[in-house]
Amino acid sequence: MEDEDLNQQEHDGTPSQMSPLEAEDRGYTLFRILDREFTIKVSKHRWAVVLVFSCYSMCNAFQWIQYAAINNIFMYFYGVSSFAIDWLSMCYMLAYIPLLLPVAWLLEKFGLRTIALAGSALNCLGAWVKLGSLQPHLFPVTVLGQVVCSVAQVFILGMPSRIASVWFGDDEVSTACSIAVLGNQLGIALGFLVPAVSVPNIDNPDELAYYISIMFYVTAVFKEKPKHPPSRAQCLSYALASTDASYLSSIIQLFKNLNFVLLVITYGLNAGAFYALCTLLNRMVIFHYVEEGVIVGRIGLTIVLAGMLGAVISGIWLDRTKTYKQTSLVLYIMTLVGMAGYTGTLNLGHLWIVYITAGIIGFSITGYLTLGFEFAVELTYLESEVVSSSGLLNVSAQVFGIIFTISQGQIIDNYGTMPGNIFLCVFLTLGAVLTAFIKADLRRQRILRMYL
């Protein structure tokens, strides 16, 4: 039988032929469901896989935010509007929406390794294309390079929960997902810091081209899955998942799940606010601190480093407590409080307060992004993670990210930064209220208890 071959032991005999004590001594756990026996063993290569993926994600995220971090300098160099530079960030959001389902199909057909390599190759290609745009009249070339990178993002952004569930045990899956997300956040941190430090605000186009080239040059082991499933949840997924369900029928089924629909909306509001804040941070800070361009990089770095801490703490906490609903509500309220504080203090001239409020936003909003992936898996267990937890949540984030970025940018241009930030606070308040109505229908945990 093919299923039996998948669980063959590399040494003498198979785990199914061992006594439970002997199998346990060799690091295996035997698990039987629906007349099928699975051999559970956590791969020793799992951390290497998630770290390699994090590197892919870091390089891609760096290129997403590098233009927005020094928006004013690129406006001068290319002679375009701030809105045109904003679109270099928003093209990432726009590309994800139509390409999700094709990439999800490719993932199911060709597997994680092929998709990861394709995303990495596209990311590298986009970086090299942008090196050909180091003249003021070559803005279309830099747009082309950024579009290529935005396509690469579709191959990368939705992978954390998939990698976590395929490679990690039940007590590690949320932590692994948070580490996978860390790569993306580290890339954003570098995307804020490196441009602000390496590209000075000077008037000489030739010198500016040289410094921009340095920034672009910065950006210029993966197995498909382990031999044995790493957890009971993954065994159940293999045994119970429907093999003939189409993506369309899966999506229709997901939208009949009210709790998941509420999570899609609240996740989109939260992540969309984060995208808008990152994209427009340069414009907001320069509005009040005209000669302090480097501060943008430092504030962005504060947001992301605090977010990395929040993601790790959130992942470890979820693995130990499984309190998805309660934790998501606490983090949502923290995000709202941080955003309200940032809104009220940005124009006071006290940068230390801005750093504190930015840190609160980063800690809570990134912690929520990690939690959202795992909460969605719980609410939609046995559905594809790429379509449900990662896919539709990220589509919602991209849609709200585009709406919020355009709307807030127009509000800032016409009325100032405070009304623009109040605009985000209103939608974060709506998200917090809707989160309170999500029922903690933890299907993965419930099904696991049924078969234990």
Side-chain angles (χ1 to χ4, degrees):
M1 293 283 294
E2 183 179 350
D3 292 331
E4 294 174 345
D5 292 339
L6 290 173
N7 287 284
Q8 290 290 317
Q9 189 194 4
E10 295 175 3
H11 318 293
D12 49 338
T14 63
S16 61
Q17 295 170 339
M18 302 178 193
S19 68
L21 287 177
E22 185 182 0
E24 185 176 349
D25 288 341
R26 297 197 180 188
Y28 296 95
T29 300
L30 304 181
F31 184 62
R32 181 175 292 276
I33 177 175
L34 301 179
D35 298 325
R36 295 179 64 184
E37 187 171 81
F38 290 90
T39 302
I40 298 173
K41 185 177 182 180
V42 178
S43 171
K44 62 183 178 182
H45 301 299
R46 64 194 185 281
W47 295 110
V49 170
V50 78
L51 288 175
V52 169
F53 168 79
S54 293
C55 290
Y56 292 162
S57 184
M58 178 186 69
C59 294
N60 186 257
F62 177 91
Q63 297 193 78
W64 166 58
I65 205 63
Q66 63 183 171
Y67 292 98
I70 49 174
N71 182 295
N72 58 315
I73 294 176
F74 278 111
M75 282 173 56
Y76 170 77
F77 181 72
Y78 287 117
V80 297
S81 68
S82 61
F83 189 61
I85 301 299
D86 289 344
W87 268 110
L88 292 175
S89 170
M90 288 190 289
C91 72
Y92 265 60
M93 308 174 202
L94 186 63
Y96 191 89
I97 299 169
L99 294 178
L100 166 64
L101 289 181
V103 171
W105 178 83
L106 289 172
L107 175 64
E108 294 296 332
K109 186 171 180 63
F110 297 105
L112 273 174
R113 183 176 185 273
T114 301
I115 292 300
L117 290 174
S120 180
L122 286 170
N123 200 52
C124 181
L125 175 61
W128 281 103
V129 169
K130 285 190 280 188
L131 277 170
S133 66
L134 297 174
Q135 293 294 329
H137 65 282
L138 294 177
F139 182 68
V141 177
T142 212
V143 171
L144 175 61
Q146 192 73 344
V147 168
V148 173
C149 292
S150 71
V151 174
Q153 171 227 206
V154 187
F155 289 80
I156 295 171
L157 191 60
M159 295 300 107
S161 60
R162 172 80 171 190
I163 291 172
S165 64
V166 168
W167 280 91
F168 288 83
D170 292 327
D171 60 345
E172 297 175 332
V173 66
S174 294
T175 303
C177 186
S178 70
I179 292 174
V181 171
L182 279 186
N184 184 272
Q185 297 303 306
L186 180 58
I188 296 173
L190 294 174
F192 274 119
L193 182 63
V194 172
V197 172
S198 64
V199 184
N201 190 359
I202 55 180
D203 295 330
N204 188 316
D206 293 332
E207 287 188 44
L208 198 52
Y210 167 74
Y211 287 112
I212 291 173
S213 71
I214 294 174
M215 181 187 71
F216 284 161
Y217 271 118
V218 170
T219 56
V221 195
F222 211 98
K223 291 175 66 179
E224 167 56 25
K225 60 182 178 181
K227 182 176 182 180
H228 302 288
S231 65
R232 290 179 173 85
Q234 196 64 19
C235 293
L236 287 167
S237 179
Y238 291 154
L240 301 178
S242 172
T243 57
D244 57 356
S246 68
Y247 284 124
L248 181 59
S249 63
S250 178
I251 291 173
I252 292 173
Q253 192 65 30
L254 288 170
F255 278 106
K256 292 180 180 178
N257 183 337
L258 179 59
N259 294 314
F260 177 69
V261 171
L262 288 174
L263 180 62
V264 168
I265 296 171
T266 57
Y267 184 93
L269 292 171
N270 194 293
F274 175 69
Y275 293 160
L277 179 65
C278 290
T279 302
L280 300 173
L281 184 63
N282 175 273
R283 291 168 63 181
M284 286 189 280
V285 174
I286 294 297
F287 190 91
H288 296 288
Y289 306 93
V290 179
E291 301 298 328
E292 299 288 350
V294 176
I295 288 178
V296 178
R298 293 173 182 169
I299 295 174
L301 186 65
T302 300
I303 292 173
V304 178
L305 290 181
M308 293 168 69
L309 178 63
V312 172
I313 292 176
S314 174
I316 295 173
W317 174 258
L318 290 179
D319 276 332
R320 294 187 176 183
T321 67
K322 309 300 182 185
T323 54
Y324 296 90
K325 162 70 178 293
Q326 299 91 324
T327 308
S328 64
L329 188 56
V330 168
L331 289 175
Y332 224 117
I333 293 172
M334 284 182 63
T335 301
L336 177 58
V337 170
M339 191 67 204
Y342 174 82
T343 300
T345 59
L346 182 61
N347 62 347
L348 298 181
H350 302 300
L351 280 172
W352 64 272
I353 301 178
V354 177
Y355 282 117
I356 291 174
T357 56
I360 294 173
I361 293 172
F363 180 91
S364 54
I365 212 166
T366 306
Y368 179 85
L369 297 183
T370 302
L371 183 151
F373 283 159
E374 288 300 305
F375 198 5
V377 173
E378 291 288 343
L379 294 175
T380 64
Y381 184 59
L382 297 181
E383 299 290 348
S384 167
E385 293 97 343
V386 179
V387 175
S388 60
S389 67
S390 302
L392 294 179
L393 261 62
N394 280 325
V395 167
S396 177
Q398 313 309 320
V399 170
F400 281 112
I402 292 172
I403 294 171
F404 288 171
T405 302
I406 294 175
S407 301
Q408 189 185 14
Q410 292 299 310
I411 293 172
I412 290 173
D413 288 343
N414 292 288
Y415 303 103
T417 59
M418 182 172 287
N421 288 323
I422 290 174
F423 167 81
L424 290 185
C425 288
V426 170
F427 284 98
L428 287 173
T429 302
L430 174 63
V433 171
L434 291 177
T435 298
F437 288 97
I438 300 175
K439 293 181 180 179
D441 179 21
L442 306 183
R443 298 182 178 184
R444 178 166 59 181
Q445 303 305 317
R446 187 172 68 247
I447 294 174
L448 277 173
R449 286 193 295 268
M450 288 172 55
Y451 286 96
L452 288 180

